[in-house]
Amino acid sequence: MKQLRSTVIRAGLEALCLTGMHRLFRPIFAGAGCIFMLHHVRPARDAAFQPNSHLEITPQFLRAVLAHLRARGIDIITMDEFHRRLTERDFSRHFACFTFDDGYRDNRDFALPVMREFDAPFTVYVASDFAQGTGNLWWVALESAIAKASTIEAEIDGVATRIDTSTLSAKRSAFERLHGWLRALPGRADLAREIGALSARCGIDQAAICRELCMSWDELKPFADEPLVSIGAHSVTHCNLAQQPDEIASQEIATSRARIESALQRPALHFAYPYGDRLAAGSREFALVKAAGFKTAVTTRPGMIFPESAEYPTALPRVSLNGNYQDERILPVLTSGVATAMWNGFRRVDAA
């Protein structure tokens, strides 16, 4: 299903590109600017089975995006400057913000050098357990388990289930099924228990995955000192906040900020919701983040920034720089706002 959706989205982006419709409607749908969402930036990998590849782009594609924005005269600004423009209704110039979720080491090793080339600031939202080296990057553990095994055993909805993972096609189907099941589990402890059991059966070291991929506090300290870098919060455990009771959700939000400010000795006033879609961030979460004192919070809901967005600073949409669509031809479509407008039924704000 996810692969089909990606194919449909790609076809739509290419159709817009070929017809040139995005140029006609740019003045209507581009808004004041956009917030780009990224995760990994690293060289392309060769493995045939990469179900999480949508979460990564290459340094070359990032460079192409930045060159496109500079060529169009679009300001690349910090989230603090974005907040100022939003609150002061200063929309005289188009802008773009770059935001990276989770705190991956490749943000330092591969993204930072490219951002320096263009003098482009960016924000990295850190999940504090990831920086501790104890985080649960369960989607990576799941990929590793399926890649390694010819069959996967799991108890799904109380039923012992054996899933074939002997071929590439079977592995892709298994990942989609198990990813959906794990994401739907009701609490963070449930997810940790199930992926922990699955990892143990397949010989996957979850802590090693976290240490391999994510910057530690000791690495984040000099990284945060970089003039172009800002650090935001991304919860403690990277759990689905909407699935947690009020007390746990509030603790995840407030503690993530407190840990970052204590470790890095700098304010963390911007937040990114883990997963960030409608199933993970809604009106309750928007209110909790506001109550915790954050200036802004970003979702994964697609959309551009319009003057009306000023009324919803903790429910901001983003534009995904997605590994499935690394094509320089579609960059004018992405920045035109036409694709996200169509996705949103032509609503300028989606904050419900």
Side-chain angles (χ1 to χ4, degrees), residues 39-45 50 52-58 106 143 321-324 326:
H39 291 80
H40 293 283
V41 176
R42 59 191 181 188
R45 298 178 290 153
Q50 296 187 52
N52 290 308
S53 63
H54 62 290
L55 297 176
E56 58 188 83
I57 64 170
T58 65
D106 55 59
E143 176 179 336
L321 290 180
N322 191 307
N324 291 334
Q326 295 188 76

Side-chain angles (χ1 to χ4, degrees), residues 2 18 82 90 98 126 128 188 198 209 281 303 327 333:
K2 289 182 179 179
L18 289 171
F82 164 78
D90 178 5
F98 281 79
V126 172
S128 57
R188 60 184 184 181
L198 178 60
I209 289 173
D327 188 335
V333 176

Side-chain angles (χ1 to χ4, degrees), residues 16-328:
L16 288 169
C17 182
L18 289 171
T19 62
M21 286 178 56
H22 62 284
R23 289 190 290 271
L24 178 63
F25 291 107
R26 176 183 290 274
I28 301 172
F29 298 126
C34 69
I35 304 171
F36 286 115
M37 174 178 64
L38 304 90
H39 291 80
H40 293 283
V41 176
R42 59 191 181 188
R45 298 178 290 153
D46 295 330
F49 179 61
Q50 296 187 52
N52 290 308
S53 63
H54 62 290
L55 297 176
E56 58 188 83
I57 64 170
T58 65
Q60 293 79 11
F61 185 63
L62 176 59
R63 186 175 289 110
V65 175
L66 289 160
H68 169 74
L69 296 174
R70 290 300 192 205
R72 292 195 61 85
I74 295 173
D75 295 345
I76 302 174
I77 62 175
T78 66
M79 288 301 293
D80 278 339
E81 171 62 11
F82 164 78
H83 181 258
R84 184 197 68 77
R85 294 190 187 192
L86 198 67
T87 55
E88 296 180 8
R89 306 300 200 272
D90 178 5
F91 303 120
S92 57
R93 291 183 55 84
H94 283 87
F95 62 82
C97 299
F98 281 79
T99 62
F100 296 71
D101 290 5
D102 299 338
Y104 296 115
R105 188 172 290 109
D106 55 59
N107 295 175
R108 178 197 67 189
D109 296 344
F110 295 105
L112 177 59
V114 177
M115 303 302 280
R116 281 176 177 156
E117 289 178 29
F118 293 86
D119 193 29
F122 61 104
T123 297
V124 175
Y125 296 107
V126 172
S128 57
D129 270 4
F130 294 0
Q132 292 282 118
T134 59
N136 180 12
L137 282 74
W138 63 268
W139 55 96
V140 183
L142 179 61
E143 176 179 336
S144 299
I146 293 174
K148 185 176 182 179
S150 58
T151 60
I152 293 287
E153 296 182 358
E155 188 171 306
I156 300 176
D157 298 328
V159 178
T161 305
R162 180 184 291 256
I163 302 173
D164 175 35
T165 56
S166 60
T167 67
L168 180 58
S169 176
K171 289 181 186 295
R172 288 171 175 163
S173 296
F175 183 88
E176 185 166 343
R177 179 180 181 185
L178 290 168
H179 186 281
W181 165 60
L182 289 166
R183 263 221 54 182
L185 290 173
R188 60 184 184 181
D190 301 294
L191 174 56
R193 181 187 67 248
E194 296 298 339
I195 193 62
L198 178 60
S199 297
R201 286 195 294 271
C202 296
I204 303 301
D205 186 340
Q206 290 178 267
I209 289 173
C210 183
R211 293 192 299 270
E212 176 187 352
L213 294 179
C214 297
M215 286 182 279
S216 67
W217 290 123
D218 285 342
E219 291 172 299
L220 282 165
K221 288 174 185 176
F223 180 67
D225 287 335
E226 292 282 345
L228 295 174
V229 173
S230 300
I231 303 297
H234 197 36
S235 82
V236 174
T237 65
H238 198 282
C239 66
N240 184 329
L241 293 172
Q243 292 177 331
Q244 314 308 317
D246 290 353
E247 182 179 357
I248 291 178
S250 296
Q251 178 266 332
E252 285 274 349
I253 294 165
T255 302
S256 65
R257 176 183 176 185
R259 284 188 181 180
I260 290 170
E261 293 183 340
S262 175
L264 304 183
Q265 294 297 297
R266 63 186 64 237
L269 298 175
H270 305 281
F271 188 85
Y273 301 98
Y275 312 110
D277 56 19
R278 285 181 169 274
L279 299 177
S283 57
R284 185 197 67 160
E285 290 69 47
F286 302 156
L288 290 175
V289 168
K290 182 178 180 180
F294 287 95
K295 289 182 177 179
T296 70
V298 292
T299 69
T300 62
R301 299 185 190 190
M304 307 297 281
I305 301 299
F306 293 92
E308 297 93 321
S309 303
E311 302 299 322
Y312 308 95
T314 59
L316 298 168
R318 289 190 283 180
V319 173
S320 175
L321 290 180
N322 191 307
N324 291 334
Y325 318 115
Q326 295 188 76
D327 188 335
E328 293 182 34

